[in-house]
Amino acid sequence: MKEFYPVLKQTKLFRGIAEHEIGSLLHCLGASVRRYRKGEYLLRQGERLTSVALSVSGVFYIQRDDYWGNRMIVKSIAVGETFGEAYLLPESGASPHDIVAVEDSTVLFLDVSRMLTVCSSACPFHTAVLQNLFFTISEKNRMLLGKLGHLSMRTTREKLISYLSEEARRQNSASFSIPFNRQQLADFLSVDRSAMSTELGKMRDEGLLAFEKNRFTLFSGAGSEDVL
């Protein structure tokens, strides 16, 4: 697992943990590693997780298909992010979502029962991880509220403006990349792909933005580049 130490040091879950403490902590938390090929499911609707999952390479989507095959992407999981925390408690029930690898990816699993129980050695870094997990869950709740804000917009244009503006603020730049292709962005915003592509074309023609594939630049005024 040492190959993942540089990634773990940069994660919010391991914030404040010295590199020489990582090995002991992983042993304390019963860590295990699993690799997933592109398109392979880490979790399917109706299944349960018993460990906190931490992405150490690749990309995952949390998504859900309805009875007729319509897909909604709930969230993109990048390297360094944890996921699955919402499904760990017995009262939370089975997962209503799928978690699928978008590309070849690797996950570090941490035993939640060990994470929530203070170990016999009462190691200080164990407590630090518990605190970090709490703050990580709180941040995810804020992000989900942000997505609800995008989806509450009435029109496709309003949803695009809400999402792209938020990404510009989050990445602190008027030029940024998003983790979705066109179909995936439409699934994320719950809009029709054709209608969304048409709207993006209109916004480009009106000088509001420029884009190439998943790279966007937003313009706040005629010919000027700035964060909306």
Side-chain angles (χ1 to χ4, degrees):
M1 294 186 189
K2 287 186 177 180
E3 62 182 296
F4 301 119
Y5 283 13
V7 173
L8 297 178
K9 284 177 57 180
Q10 302 301 316
T11 66
K12 294 176 181 177
L13 185 63
F14 282 75
R15 180 184 298 152
I17 308 299
E19 184 168 349
H20 70 272
E21 297 174 327
I22 292 179
S24 297
L25 179 58
L26 293 179
H27 176 75
C28 179
L29 299 180
S32 61
V33 172
R34 181 173 174 184
R35 302 180 188 276
Y36 294 84
R37 294 188 178 277
K38 178 180 179 180
E40 186 176 357
Y41 284 76
L42 182 150
L43 185 73
R44 291 184 180 272
Q45 294 180 41
E47 297 179 345
R48 301 184 65 102
L49 270 178
T50 58
S51 301
V52 173
L54 173 63
S55 175
V56 291
S57 75
V59 179
F60 290 86
Y61 283 167
I62 299 177
Q63 62 189 36
R64 182 174 184 175
D65 295 342
D66 64 22
Y67 185 83
W68 294 272
N70 300 305
R71 175 163 296 167
M72 178 182 70
I73 296 177
V74 178
K75 191 179 187 308
S76 170
I77 304 296
V79 171
E81 291 189 67
T82 59
F83 54 99
E85 306 95 324
Y87 314 130
L88 292 176
L89 295 179
E91 297 82 3
S92 63
S95 170
H97 303 112
D98 296 321
I99 302 178
V100 61
V102 183
E103 57 188 56
D104 290 351
S105 307
T106 308
V107 170
L108 178 71
F109 289 101
L110 304 172
D111 188 327
V112 69
S113 63
R114 295 194 186 188
M115 184 175 289
L116 298 178
T117 303
V118 178
C119 61
S120 57
S121 59
C123 48
F125 45 77
H126 190 148
T127 302
V129 166
L130 269 178
Q131 293 174 340
N132 291 342
L133 180 63
F134 173 80
F135 291 127
T136 298
I137 293 173
S138 297
E139 182 177 351
K140 284 191 172 184
N141 285 337
R142 291 195 299 271
M143 293 179 65
L144 288 175
L145 287 174
K147 181 176 180 179
L148 286 176
H150 306 326
L151 297 182
S152 68
M153 298 298 174
R154 293 180 178 272
T155 67
T156 297
R157 175 175 287 215
E158 289 173 343
K159 291 181 179 182
L160 284 167
I161 288 175
S162 178
Y163 171 68
L164 295 174
S165 296
E166 178 61 28
E167 282 300 301
R169 285 190 289 267
R170 187 179 68 83
Q171 300 187 39
N172 196 32
S173 174
S175 295
F176 54 88
S177 296
I178 64 173
F180 305 119
N181 61 30
R182 289 292 180 271
Q183 183 60 60
Q184 292 161 350
L185 179 58
D187 292 339
F188 180 77
L189 294 176
S190 296
V191 297
D192 178 76
R193 175 183 176 177
S194 179
M196 185 193 72
S197 296
T198 298
E199 198 60 56
L200 282 172
K202 290 179 180 179
M203 293 169 70
R204 178 188 56 200
D205 294 342
E206 293 170 16
L208 294 175
L209 53 77
F211 57 84
E212 182 177 359
K213 296 183 178 180
N214 68 332
R215 183 78 182 173
F216 286 81
T217 299
L218 308 187
F219 302 107
S220 59
S224 64
E225 180 178 329
D226 200 0
V227 176
L228 290 181

